[in-house]
Amino acid sequence: VSTWDWAGSDIYQVDSVTGDTTFIGTAEVNLHGLTYIDDTLYGYGDDNANVDDWIFDGNLYTIDESTGAASLVSTSGLGGEGAIAYNIDDGYAYQATGNSLVRWDLSTDSSTYLGSLTNIDISGLAYIGTTLYGVGGTFDSLYTIDTTTVTATQVGSLGIPVGNGNTGASVAGLTYDGSQLLMVTSTDDISSSASGGVYTINPLTGEATLNASLGSELLNEDIGGVATKINAVPVPAAVWLFGSGLIGLIGVARRKKA
């Protein structure tokens, strides 16, 4: 996972079964979404240059798994915080910023605005096969998203509040680990009655089931992205970020503020 901060996002490894966290490094940029494309970790965010004006660049970065360092790939100029997911079938990465949908073509390092999803703010995206799933705080629900028609279809309620403040934690991201759909939530409000956690989402009903609360390093932190790396062959648990279905380590980016 990645955390959010004007000074740069911290990258953590999280065990999706226990919630235990391991610090990897700092990206030196603000990350709002994470995804794997083949074996490379990518992040969507900005370079902190215009943070005083709340202007976001809409940059795509590669992230070094061993250090957390970010390298610029391309800039969309569209700005805004956003979730991102890669479609292995068509070779594009899709990004949702609020209700806007953007497609990234990594063969040309370019992006295309596709349109807006009506009355739905998406905070997390993940592909299962060729189906794009999204979660958001508008109706606390899971959706399937058609990138051709730019429409979202509600699957069902998560069964938990994912708004802000005292009513619930915010959706930090959505990811598929090769066997299950996972959602990470966070709250940066120390007075909130909610806490961050790792949930399994039923893709048929939308129901969210808590796996584990996040470790102490990520309590009351604003998490800005989630990704899992799926290996064809299971590897030892010590290897960072994998979704073999055995232990289920996921990468998160914590969004710091100072």
Side-chain angles (χ1 to χ4, degrees):
V1 298
S2 65
T3 63
W4 190 92
D5 192 318
W6 295 134
S9 293
D10 287 339
I11 308 296
Y12 287 82
Q13 169 189 288
V14 177
D15 189 316
S16 63
V17 176
T18 67
D20 292 340
T21 59
T22 302
F23 175 69
I24 302 301
T26 301
E28 303 295 341
V29 297
N30 295 324
L31 297 174
H32 312 297
L34 296 175
T35 192
Y36 267 97
I37 299 177
D38 297 324
D39 291 326
T40 302
L41 180 62
Y42 282 77
Y44 170 80
D46 62 271
D47 65 3
N48 312 323
N50 299 307
V51 295
D52 291 337
D53 299 322
W54 285 82
I55 298 174
F56 300 100
D57 304 307
N59 294 338
L60 191 65
Y61 301 92
T62 55
I63 310 298
D64 188 311
E65 295 179 8
S66 61
T67 66
S71 300
L72 181 65
V73 175
S74 182
T75 299
S76 70
L78 300 174
E81 301 179 13
I84 189 168
Y86 177 64
N87 183 357
I88 193 172
D89 186 58
D90 67 13
Y92 294 119
Y94 292 88
Q95 170 212 329
T97 299
N99 64 354
S100 297
L101 195 63
V102 176
R103 183 181 65 208
W104 289 86
D105 184 344
L106 298 181
S107 66
T108 60
D109 291 338
S110 61
S111 59
T112 303
Y113 172 74
L114 299 179
S116 295
L117 301 165
T118 305
N119 298 323
I120 298 173
D121 288 332
I122 297 297
S123 302
L125 289 175
Y127 269 97
I128 299 181
T130 59
T131 301
L132 179 60
Y133 288 88
V135 290
T138 308
F139 299 109
D140 298 342
S141 294
L142 178 72
Y143 302 87
T144 57
I145 298 173
D146 188 318
T147 59
T148 301
T149 61
V150 193
T151 55
T153 301
Q154 186 178 24
V155 174
S157 172
L158 297 171
I160 59 171
V162 287
N164 292 302
N166 293 325
T167 61
S170 300
V171 175
L174 191 67
T175 186
Y176 180 63
D177 73 353
S179 63
Q180 57 189 350
L181 189 61
L182 299 173
M183 177 180 72
V184 174
T185 65
S186 69
T187 174
D188 61 354
D189 183 354
I190 60 174
S191 66
S192 175
S193 59
S195 61
V198 181
Y199 292 81
T200 299
I201 306 296
N202 186 327
L204 300 179
T205 66
E207 181 180 6
T209 302
L210 180 65
N211 288 352
S213 296
L214 292 178
S216 58
E217 295 91 343
L218 295 177
L219 289 179
N220 304 123
E221 294 289 354
D222 190 2
I223 298 173
V226 180
T228 52
K229 183 177 184 178
I230 301 174
N231 293 298
V233 178
V235 293
V239 176
W240 184 62
L241 289 176
F242 75 95
S244 67
L246 297 178
I247 293 183
L249 296 179
I250 59 178
V252 297
R254 181 173 63 86
R255 303 193 291 189
K256 300 183 296 182
K257 295 183 181 58

